[in-house]
Amino acid sequence: MSRAALLLLADGRFPAGGYAHSGGVEAAVAHKAVHDIDSLEAFCRGRLHTTGLTTAGLAAAAAAGCDPLMLDDAADARTPVPALRAVARKLGRQMMRAARATFPSAELDRLAAERPQGAHQPIVQGLAARAAGLTPQDAACAAAYETVGGPATAAVRLLSLDPLDASRLLARLSAETDSVAAAAADAAARVATEGPDALPATSAPLLDITGEQHAAWTVRLFAS
């Protein structure tokens, strides 16, 4: 196992396309729900404990060796909005390309062949972590961090926030991010005996609604 591989997988510069997505914060800014660093922190915390927990569980289960096709179906069931399902698969397709080049593995190759239009992004992320020799909790940590790191970075651009304030926000959320990753890994460990229902299915209905609305915008800075 290489901790450097975890840093690479969680790095926003990893060429998986995440930089083009705001994680819902662009719509939240438009609706005035996020307007300063305090409201951004509330947004990120809410996303971490809902969407973040769910995606971290899926990533951890993939890293643990669970059937990726079963997990992809489970991800579909946990993503009720068509626009966000499309985003998840597009990000998965982009991450697959980067992951296969960086962490070559037969499991990634098989999933790419079986899901040519793209598997859900956390499934690919988990398989990439597995190929890199990382643990399920490592995969969960990378997925959980992405759910707050992406919106925080996007909000700096959208609101002209001080990047140092955004970094401080992420540091304040670090213990909660670790806790979410641990809970996700614990759930993933039960999939072998309990099936995919053991995985978290927490949701954020407002993010679903605004995600569908955002997809219909003709002018936007971020893809989602």
Side-chain angles (χ1 to χ4, degrees):
M1 181 182 70
S2 169
R3 291 296 178 188
L6 175 58
L7 295 176
L8 177 60
L9 194 60
D11 192 336
R13 292 166 293 185
F14 189 65
Y19 62 88
H21 298 262
S22 78
V25 82
E26 183 169 24
V29 168
H31 288 289
K32 309 299 183 185
V34 173
H35 51 84
D36 59 13
I37 198 67
D38 291 333
S39 54
L40 174 61
E41 181 169 352
F43 176 91
C44 288
R45 178 172 283 110
R47 193 167 194 268
L48 174 63
H49 289 280
T50 53
T51 302
L53 178 59
T54 298
T55 58
L58 292 163
C66 297
D67 178 3
L69 296 181
M70 174 194 73
L71 294 176
D72 199 52
D73 289 341
D76 253 355
R78 288 159 171 75
T79 314
V81 174
L84 296 185
R85 282 201 301 273
V87 166
R89 291 193 179 279
K90 180 179 181 180
L91 285 170
R93 188 167 62 249
Q94 292 172 312
M95 175 163 277
M96 179 66 80
R97 181 174 179 272
R100 291 174 75 190
T102 309
F103 307 113
S105 91
E107 290 179 311
L108 284 168
D109 291 343
R110 281 195 296 272
L111 183 59
E114 290 164 339
R115 290 288 189 271
Q117 298 306 311
H120 279 256
Q121 190 257 8
I123 316 303
V124 181
Q125 191 172 37
L127 284 185
R130 181 175 172 84
L134 298 171
T135 69
Q137 187 159 341
D138 289 331
C141 190
Y145 175 77
E146 185 175 4
T147 63
V148 293
T153 300
V156 169
R157 295 173 63 186
L158 290 163
L159 294 171
S160 299
L161 297 176
D162 187 334
L164 298 179
D165 288 338
S167 295
R168 192 178 302 115
L169 182 162
L170 293 174
R172 286 196 297 271
L173 291 176
S174 59
E176 291 178 61
T177 302
D178 287 344
S179 177
V180 164
D186 286 345
R190 300 196 303 274
V191 172
T193 55
E194 300 177 25
D197 287 348
L199 292 172
T202 48
S203 63
L206 187 56
L207 280 178
D208 290 341
I209 293 168
T210 57
E212 192 73 18
Q213 292 172 342
H214 183 273
W217 291 4
T218 56
V219 178
R220 59 193 181 202
L221 182 61
F222 292 93
S224 71

